[in-house]
């Protein structure tokens, strides 16, 4: 009986390039891509609850063009890795990433997907110490669990990465409004 190879191998980083590039058209396509991201329905642990909350009325992901969570990687262009990636699950994560058509982006949501979180300790053998060891990550959203607002900010960062421009205003710090009221 042959022994199976369970080593973690990084996913192929090469994306197909268009044979003809016309820069003004590419800029228009990039704006269209950034305003119609289709995230994959993919949650591994408790951070997936926060990812689901972003689609609800209070946060309304639809306002930012990413409300269509797709059930298939072949229909998705954004993978949100929400939760702990174990070494048993890592080949499936890589396979899903490789099945996504290009251009594609990856968001690591939560401390577990960024670094292994509280499960990363000396002697542990089961947790991947960051999803960026197996697939390339574009945006990291820290927190345990990260708030839905943080996921929205990560989405804005991906949109900015695609187009080179931030489309939504930056939120004011909470303390700034209180200081102004107190000074009057």
């Amino acid at each position: 009986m042959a022994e199976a190879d369970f080593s973690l191998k990084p996913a192929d980083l090469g994306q197909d390039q268009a044979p003809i590039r016309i820069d003004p058209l590419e800029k228009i396509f990039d704006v269209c891509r950034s305003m119609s991201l289709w995230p994959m329905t993919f949650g591994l642990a408790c951070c997936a609850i926060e990812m689901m909350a972003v689609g609800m009325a209070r946060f309304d992901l639809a306002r930012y063009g990413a409300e269509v969570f797709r059930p298939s990687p072949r229909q998705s262009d954004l993978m949100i890795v929400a939760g702990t990636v174990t070494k048993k699950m890592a080949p499936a994560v890589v396979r899903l990433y490789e099945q996504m058509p290009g251009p594609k982006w990856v968001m690591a949501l939560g401390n577990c997907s960024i670094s292994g979180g509280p499960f990363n300790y000396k002697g542990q053998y089961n947790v991947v110490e960051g999803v960026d060891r197996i697939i390339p990550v574009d945006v990291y959203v820290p927190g345990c669990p990260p708030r839905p607002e943080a996921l929205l900010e990560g989405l804005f960062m991906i949109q900015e990465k695609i187009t080179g421009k931030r489309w939504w205003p930056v939120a004011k710090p909470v303390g700034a409004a209180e200081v102004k009221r107190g000074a009057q």
Side-chain angles (χ1 to χ4, degrees), residues 70-92:
R70 304 309 302 172
S72 168
R74 292 176 185 87
Q75 300 171 346
S76 304
D77 54 6
L78 173 62
M79 175 187 261
I80 302 173
V81 181
T84 311
V85 180
T86 61
K87 291 184 180 174
K88 185 175 183 179
M89 189 65 181

Side-chain angles (χ1 to χ4, degrees), residues 44-171:
L44 295 170
C46 46
C47 290
I49 303 297
E50 301 298 324
M51 183 174 68
M52 289 178 234
V54 170
M56 299 301 124
R58 181 175 181 189
F59 301 103
D60 195 16
L61 197 58
R63 290 181 290 176
Y64 310 108
E67 76 276 9
V68 184
F69 276 88
R70 304 309 302 172
S72 168
R74 292 176 185 87
Q75 300 171 346
S76 304
D77 54 6
L78 173 62
M79 175 187 261
I80 302 173
V81 181
T84 311
V85 180
T86 61
K87 291 184 180 174
K88 185 175 183 179
M89 189 65 181
V93 173
V94 172
R95 179 176 297 143
L96 289 172
Y97 176 79
E98 289 174 347
Q99 289 178 355
M100 292 170 61
K104 53 190 169 185
W105 299 275
V106 176
M107 179 189 302
L109 182 66
N111 293 344
C112 292
S113 64
I114 293 172
S115 65
F119 308 107
N120 183 9
Y121 55 88
K122 186 178 179 180
Q124 71 88 13
Y125 57 90
N126 192 37
V127 175
V128 176
E129 297 172 354
V131 73
D132 56 355
R133 293 181 183 241
I134 56 174
I135 58 175
V137 174
D138 296 300
V139 173
Y140 298 90
V141 180
C144 185
R147 295 275 309 145
E149 296 92 344
L151 192 148
L152 285 175
E153 186 62 34
L155 178 72
F156 300 158
M157 292 173 72
I158 286 184
Q159 290 176 336
E160 185 175 0
K161 185 172 185 168
I162 295 169
T163 62
K165 177 182 177 184
R166 182 171 174 104
W167 295 93
W168 312 104
V170 177

